[in-house]
Amino acid sequence: MAAGGERIPGTPRYRHHQLRNPGTEPFLPNFLLKEWIVGAVFLLAFILWVWFNPVDLGPRANPDDTSFIPVPDWYFLFLYQILKYYPGQYIVFGTVLVPLVATLLLLFTPWLDVSKTRHPYKRPLATGAMVLTTFLVIWLTNEAAVQHRAEVAAASGQGQLSAGLVSLPKIPASQIHLTATDMPGYQIFEQNCSGCHGKSAEGGFGPPIYAIGKYWDENKLKSFITQGSPPKMPPKGGLSSESDVEKVAQWLAQQKGS
Amino acid sequence: MLKKAYDWIDERLNVTPLWRDVADHEVPAHVNPAVKMSAFVYCFGGLTFLVITTQILSGMFLAMYYTPDINNAWYSVKYIDDQVLLGQVVRGMHFWGASLVIVMMFLHMLRVFFTGAYKAPRELNWVVGVLIFFVVLAFGFTGYLLPWDQKAYWATAVGSQIAGSIPWIGPYIQTLLLGSHTVGALTLTRFFAIHVFFLPAALLVLLALHFIMIRAQHIAGPL
Ligand code: HEM
């Protein structure tokens, strides 16, 4: 075969100016160049996302710490969630039956949907089944994520804080914007409470309280601080006067974590 | 100069037909977003492949530092994060890329499904696609353990328990996965080998089949 010959029988070498169907274009170089532009934009967006969302590394694996609440990566959550609906002896439905049937249906789709028509509207059964499956998968994934978050919150509430306390997530102090820092309560907080609760109320020995005002009003704050939570937090948080407690409660009630 | 070099090689090896087979074909209008914007759904397969490529590249760089043993794995990942130049970014690419592959692959599958492109004569390519899907999920499952942090350890522990609860064959699957009866040193080396040798080999073979079939059958016509 001569150099430049054609291997695909009946398909002559493509020439742009010999177009038969308007709208078609050569894969190389026309289409590929455009595709590369799309690819470059896509990659750029990806890199930007990666840059601003650094991955963190959790604490080193500790086989003895059985209190850790396990969770698979998000794209397995829907499978994980299915298991929860078949507790005890029915677990095989979740571990084997449902996944197996779903896999077989997916694998043999071309032999189940054998009509010649391809338009999605003209084969409502196949289209409907796939739309339903997609929604179900998304719903199950979300359900699992919500339940996992609730479990983690409940566990951290029991583990470190006494019942009835608000449990705010720990976030870096740099992301906290305390408001109304001109109120007298702020100075009292800085002098008496920040040692335990952190300069930006981000938490330390005591829990984070940077957005406590979202959950507790001034009265609730006042009564909690007055009582304290001995032995962890002294009554009045170590303050001596009733009016200081009132001022700090007034200020904390403003912190709604905007 | 370049042309001369090319001709010299071509005279001896006749490479022109090789790349023409790959690259010399028309792109029909109905899959070209430049002609009709809604055709962007036909890009999903190509974008999936692009992300797969970045996964392979970032994975190769991570493998230069990663150490698959239970004493050092976590520290080596921490080293990549804190010390290696751009290590945080490369690890980020591999981490987020893993999710992106799944998303793009799912979108691609939906495109193929809703355009009925799996119908005769493309049944086999659909089957190959489903196999690719499972290989990619296996990448996710094995890769998740490698950083050897709490999340990784306990996810794998639970995953293998679930596998172990399957009647009859469960315990065998569990032993096969873990290399022992609990998640430990053997599990980590095993998952590492599967993640970086077995699965890439399987994926590349399947992708080659996928692309050869697309070229042989052409992309499905307009609806
Ligand atoms: C790593 C994963 C995958 C990659 C990189 C990939 C790549 C591609 C590419 C580039 C095309 C050309 C058309 C297009 O871009 O839409 C294609 C077509 C196709 N893919 Fe995939 N694919 C993957 C996974 C899958 C999966 C999971 C399925 C189905 C379960 C699938 C089934 C098909 C079929 C049937 C075609 C032919 C479509 C037609 O002729 O219109 N692929 N694939």
Side-chain angles (χ1 to χ4, degrees):
Chain A
M1 195 188 293
E6 190 46 66
R7 273 190 171 182
I8 308 167
T11 316
R13 164 124 209 241
Y14 192 76
R15 300 254 182 253
H16 192 45
H17 52 269
Q18 290 170 358
L19 275 181
R20 264 171 295 116
N21 311 338
T24 52
E25 63 177 343
F27 177 71
L28 193 88
N30 306 40
F31 187 71
L32 197 64
L33 272 178
K34 283 182 203 152
E35 216 168 46
W36 271 346
I37 295 171
V38 175
V41 172
F42 184 84
L43 266 186
L44 189 72
F46 177 55
I47 295 287
L48 282 175
W49 173 272
V50 167
W51 196 275
F52 291 107
N53 293 279
V55 192
D56 55 24
L57 177 63
R60 189 157 175 258
N62 176 4
D64 300 326
D65 176 9
T66 49
S67 71
F68 191 84
I69 300 171
V71 67
D73 210 351
W74 66 268
Y75 41 86
F76 288 120
L77 283 178
F78 73 103
L79 284 171
Y80 193 53
Q81 187 66 13
I82 290 174
L83 297 183
K84 297 188 197 162
Y85 300 124
Y86 299 101
Q89 64 186 115
Y90 298 110
I91 192 81
V92 277
F93 282 85
T95 50
V96 183
L97 215 61
V98 175
L100 190 69
V101 169
T103 304
L104 290 178
L105 284 176
L106 196 66
L107 207 54
F108 292 108
T109 296
W111 292 277
L112 293 169
D113 174 25
V114 285
S115 64
K116 282 258 186 318
T117 47
R118 283 179 39 216
H119 199 286
Y121 294 163
K122 293 197 186 123
R123 35 191 192 100
L125 194 67
T127 305
M130 192 47 128
V131 170
L132 196 73
T133 311
T134 307
F135 273 112
L136 209 64
V137 167
I138 294 173
W139 183 79
L140 285 169
T141 304
N142 181 58
E143 197 72 356
V146 168
Q147 289 180 9
H148 176 70
R149 245 174 294 156
E151 260 177 78
V152 170
S156 72
Q158 281 159 15
Q160 298 146 12
L161 292 181
S162 314
L165 291 189
V166 179
S167 149
L168 291 170
K170 281 227 178 241
I171 62 174
S174 58
Q175 286 177 18
I176 296 172
H177 305 287
L178 294 177
T179 55
T181 46
D182 50 353
M183 288 170 68
Y186 176 58
Q187 277 172 23
I188 301 171
F189 172 83
E190 273 193 308
Q191 280 155 24
N192 299 278
C193 321
S194 64
C196 289
H197 290 285
K199 275 261 171 281
S200 305
E202 77 276 23
F205 172 69
I209 53 174
Y210 56 88
I212 192 85
K214 204 152 83 184
Y215 305 93
W216 286 359
D217 61 14
E218 191 188 324
N219 282 333
K220 168 79 191 157
L221 279 162
K222 206 164 78 184
S223 70
F224 176 85
I225 298 165
T226 309
Q227 270 184 8
S229 179
K232 297 187 221 164
M233 171 167 156
K236 293 200 189 128
L239 295 172
S240 43
S241 83
E242 200 91 56
S243 76
D244 278 357
V245 171
E246 201 162 321
K247 280 178 199 149
V248 84
Q250 264 165 14
W251 177 74
L252 273 178
Q254 302 293 315
Q255 308 308 317
K256 299 188 197 266
S258 55
Chain B
M1 177 63 210
L2 258 173
K3 173 100 178 77
K4 266 201 177 143
Y6 176 79
D7 286 343
W8 188 86
I9 296 174
D10 199 31
E11 249 166 51
R12 270 141 258 257
L13 292 168
N14 194 18
V15 292
T16 300
L18 283 181
W19 68 257
R20 284 228 176 124
D21 270 5
V22 175
D24 203 18
H25 57 92
E26 328 185 345
V27 176
H30 73 284
V31 308
N32 192 336
V35 177
K36 199 162 143 236
M37 199 52 212
S38 63
F40 72 89
V41 293
Y42 287 89
C43 287
F44 292 154
L47 289 177
T48 313
F49 183 62
L50 182 69
V51 187
I52 294 264
T53 317
T54 65
Q55 285 304 92
I56 293 176
L57 286 172
S58 55
M60 291 189 327
F61 281 97
L62 289 176
M64 293 166 77
Y65 296 94
Y66 179 76
T67 322
D69 89 76
I70 54 173
N71 289 323
N72 296 310
W74 187 83
Y75 292 103
S76 70
V77 177
K78 192 161 177 50
Y79 182 81
I80 291 170
D81 266 354
D82 299 346
Q83 310 285 327
V84 178
L85 176 70
L86 290 179
Q88 173 85 248
V89 177
V90 175
R91 176 161 178 244
M93 282 176 69
H94 206 70
F95 176 89
W96 291 112
S99 294
L100 197 57
V101 172
I102 305 263
V103 172
M104 296 315 298
M105 192 174 65
F106 194 69
L107 291 175
H108 171 58
M109 192 192 80
L110 289 182
R111 182 307 263 166
V112 171
F113 189 92
F114 288 128
T115 57
Y118 52 79
K119 298 197 167 212
R122 298 185 179 77
E123 303 96 323
L124 278 182
N125 213 8
W126 172 265
V127 171
V128 167
V130 175
L131 295 181
I132 292 178
F133 202 108
F134 286 112
V135 168
V136 171
L137 286 182
F139 264 111
F141 186 68
T142 50
Y144 205 58
L145 178 69
L146 302 183
W148 202 252
D149 58 1
Q150 283 282 72
K151 213 169 52 160
Y153 182 91
W154 292 103
T156 308
V158 170
S160 66
Q161 273 164 23
I162 291 169
S165 77
I166 294 174
W168 311 106
I169 51 171
Y172 298 101
I173 299 178
Q174 192 176 10
T175 314
L176 192 72
L177 275 175
L178 300 184
S180 117
H181 51 280
T182 51
V183 181
L186 287 167
T187 318
L188 186 59
T189 45
R190 185 167 290 226
F191 272 40
F192 178 72
I194 294 175
H195 190 81
V196 306
F197 296 116
F198 290 70
L199 291 175
L203 184 67
L204 290 181
V205 169
L206 288 170
L207 279 182
L209 286 175
H210 202 59
F211 294 149
I212 290 169
M213 281 194 233
I214 296 166
R215 276 300 282 123
Q217 303 180 318
H218 302 116
I219 198 151
L223 282 179

